[in-house]
DNA sequence: TAGCAGGCTCAACTTCACCTTACGCTTCGA
DNA sequence: TCGAAGCGTAAGGTGAAGTTGAGCCTGCTA
């Protein structure tokens, strides 16, 4: 039978990106992990990790084993909390991963409400940018993940994890106050905004993919002049009149409404979908937190 | 994190029924398992196993951990075979659990066909009487389980295992040749057979539960004069004229038809349902074997 | 009531697997 | 050409795990 500790070594190496970094996280030295990994590879008769300058990357066999290994570690963690729960010991920690803008808008109110309802549970919050984080949930490093999908971006395979949509967050066009499109009678089309300087994430960032796919649908090309993935920066730039952007409605709700105007796009109604992801039989505080997040999500749009 | 080897100790103890028997199976001595189990219990702060004369029984906490532990072990096994499959190493063994009468009728033809199609796969066959065997599948000790449900007997919770019905096997009344009910124009009711001496399993055996629940439905009481769970014995006794019984149609198909007569029961049409159970992502030969069994099941009734 | 057998546990000893330290190799960038 | 980052190998100490042997409890039996 494969050794669970060696599996854990593989999982940590995969998550950390290198043997040295994984050793650091596990409070071991690099040779220890190197030896364990070598034994695992020898036992299986195949290479699991490609070593190279700048870290370690998994081979196909390594990725397959990673998937199983994450589930094994998750089951082991859940087993422990489940048994302790039977013995009357309530879980005292819940770790939550969220993307940056959820961490600023959706999560704080939920955390506050949850902290009041269950003051004995310590909350650990991690910044996880989609599409990452599924493996961390599977392996139990995270109990709950808040992730999103922008239009044009595929949703990752959830494996045996449970995924639930908690919010559809419309993407609104944000313009400087006084911009012609802000005051026009009809909602603007993308085609009306081709000459603008756009503020958006760099290529590969979800909102950029969404903007590009919306533009492609309309058959136009947009000029992204300022690249930032931070919606607060986007809004500041819009207020400064340097360009226009696409911003989720929940972000705008939390922002003082001076210096900018928001309008829906005519035709397409792009929106980002927000999901929570957790294991199928999560530890006790997770369902409560999910319910809190659902409520928080409902309030985020009203 | 819980130690997977200690979890394995618990699972083996649960399956074997005692520390000594589990030690035997694992090729360890009893004190070794005792110590590992004690450490596991100490680590979790609760008793997992009630020790007593005649073996060991799990506590509630132990049963919960058993469920998780079986999944962990199953994942570890499947991980190994999946990685080896990528490395081009085909699995060479498939272990199959089946209840006795399936082992005599349904399985042999399937095993023969499978052995011809995949001669390199060694088959290991185990006698597992329902409702047992689910844990063995989960932990990977079995790759495939053939189990059944008789009317009136609840189907166990399959957890995360995949269960598929492959056959509905009608239960027919079996009478000595020349018995009045065998030659009557209409199918007999149970009420017509109250005075008979029945041949059936002991209380608690599935077919006895089925017979009792059928009798209860009709509001009659039947007299079981001969207790045997073996349908070949049942048939021999019927041929000898000492009583009547209920036998699945597939069993009768495989039996030379002299000395007895079979008829369906009027009103109720009791049947045993036959299922295959395996893990959700089973090793490679399992789907092929399931397909072989499906075909074998279809032929068993025609 | 004593003896016995099955099953679990305790204590001392031994072994071996794992981790650490120290050193060497390779690659990339300054 | 040097240095830094990352990985591998070798040698050595330590602790955990398994074995042996003895003891305890419980239920059966003579």
């Amino acid at each position: 039978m494969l050794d669970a500790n060696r599996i854990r070594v593989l999982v940590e190496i995969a998550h950390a990106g290198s043997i040295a970094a994984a050793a650091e996280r596990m409070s071991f030295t690099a040779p220890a992990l190197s030896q364990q990994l070598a034994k695992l590879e020898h036992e299986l008769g195949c290479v699991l990790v490609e070593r190279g300058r700048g870290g370690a990357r998994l081979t196909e066999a390594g990725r397959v084993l990673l998937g199983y290994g994450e589930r094994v570690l998750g089951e082991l963690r859940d087993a422990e909390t489940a048994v302790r729960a039977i013995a009357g010991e309530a879980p005292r920690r819940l770790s939550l991963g969220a993307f940056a803008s959820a961490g600023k808008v959706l999560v704080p109110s939920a955390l506050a409400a949850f902290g009041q309802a269950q003051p004995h549970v310590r909350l650990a919050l991690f910044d996880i940018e989609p599409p990452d984080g599924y493996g961390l949930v599977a392996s139990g490093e995270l109990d709950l993940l808040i992730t999103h999908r922008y239009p044009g971006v595929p949703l990752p395979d959830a494996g045996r994890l449970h995924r639930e949509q908690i919010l559809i967050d419309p993407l609104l066009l944000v313009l400087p106050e006084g911009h012609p499109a802000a005051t026009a009678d009809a909602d603007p089309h993308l085609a009306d905004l081709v000459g603008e300087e756009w503020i958006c994430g760099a290529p590969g960032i979800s909102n950029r993919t969404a903007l590009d796919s919306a533009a492609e649908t309309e058959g136009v090309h947009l000029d992204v002049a300022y690249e930032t993935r931070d919606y607060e920066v986007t809004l500041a730039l819009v207020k400064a009149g340097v360009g226009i952007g696409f911003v989720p409605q929940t972000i705008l709700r939390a922002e003082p409404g001076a210096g900018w105007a928001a309008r829906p796009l005519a035709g397409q109604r792009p929106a980002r979908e927000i999901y929570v992801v957790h294991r199928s039989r999560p530890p006790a505080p997770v369902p409560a937190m999910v319910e809190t997040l659902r409520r928080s999500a409902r309030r985020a749009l009203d």
Side-chain angles (χ1 to χ4, degrees), chain A:
Chain A
M1 193 181 67
L2 292 179
D3 184 313
N5 289 313
R6 291 181 182 155
I7 299 262
R8 183 163 139 77
V9 166
L10 178 77
V11 171
E12 291 286 351
I13 290 173
H15 290 170
S18 77
I19 293 180
E24 171 77 25
R25 282 173 51 92
M26 296 178 76
S27 302
F28 287 142
T29 59
L33 268 66
S34 179
Q35 285 171 11
Q36 293 307 309
L37 179 60
K39 284 177 188 168
L40 188 58
E41 291 181 322
H42 180 76
E43 195 176 356
L44 288 167
C46 66
V47 178
L48 298 170
V49 172
E50 300 279 3
R51 287 82 157 171
R53 172 132 184 95
R57 271 185 56 81
L58 296 196
T59 63
E60 188 197 347
R63 284 191 295 276
V64 168
L65 187 53
L66 174 67
Y68 284 92
E70 285 170 340
R71 282 194 293 275
V72 167
L73 299 186
E75 288 281 350
L76 284 175
R77 282 192 197 242
D78 286 348
E80 182 163 355
T81 57
V83 172
R84 289 192 189 280
I86 288 196
E89 192 175 330
R92 304 189 308 115
R93 187 171 182 279
L94 187 142
S95 62
L96 180 61
F99 54 92
S101 58
K104 285 178 195 153
V105 176
L106 189 64
V107 171
S109 63
L111 287 204
F114 186 83
Q116 221 158 14
Q118 311 216 13
H120 49 286
V121 177
R122 277 186 46 193
L123 288 162
L125 187 58
F126 297 91
D127 235 66
I128 309 284
E129 215 53 38
D132 291 345
Y134 286 80
L136 298 173
V137 175
S139 71
E141 227 152 301
L142 293 178
D143 295 309
L144 193 57
L145 173 69
I146 303 175
T147 188
H148 61 53
R149 173 172 60 169
Y150 278 71
V153 182
L155 207 49
D157 175 26
R160 289 186 192 173
L161 299 177
H162 180 263
R163 178 167 54 200
E164 175 187 337
Q165 190 183 82
I166 58 167
L167 180 61
I168 294 179
D169 191 3
L171 292 167
L172 299 182
L173 198 57
V174 185
L175 309 149
E177 219 165 29
H179 188 286
T183 51
D185 286 343
D187 291 336
H189 285 82
L190 272 187
D192 308 329
L193 302 161
V194 169
E196 301 286 340
E197 304 213 304
W198 284 81
I199 308 159
C200 194
I205 304 294
S206 310
N207 62 1
R208 176 63 168 274
T209 305
L211 183 65
D212 288 345
S213 83
E216 194 176 1
T217 303
E218 301 271 320
V220 300
H221 176 79
L222 303 178
D223 175 32
V224 174
Y226 304 89
E227 288 186 348
T228 175
R229 61 187 307 164
D230 188 322
Y231 285 123
E232 296 188 20
V233 174
T234 303
L235 272 174
L237 292 174
V238 170
K239 285 185 205 170
V242 302
I244 68 176
F246 249 136
V247 176
Q249 189 171 340
T250 54
I251 306 276
L252 298 175
R253 286 293 153 97
E255 201 68 19
W260 54 267
R263 300 207 59 162
L265 198 62
Q268 318 182 38
R269 291 286 174 135
R272 64 175 186 178
E273 299 158 2
I274 296 181
Y275 298 86
V276 292
V277 178
H278 58 76
R279 296 183 293 290
S280 310
R281 298 173 190 200
V286 168
M289 177 57 102
V290 170
E291 180 53 33
T292 308
L293 283 166
R294 279 196 212 102
R295 268 200 290 272
S296 181
R298 277 196 295 272
R299 272 199 305 269
L301 281 188
D302 305 331

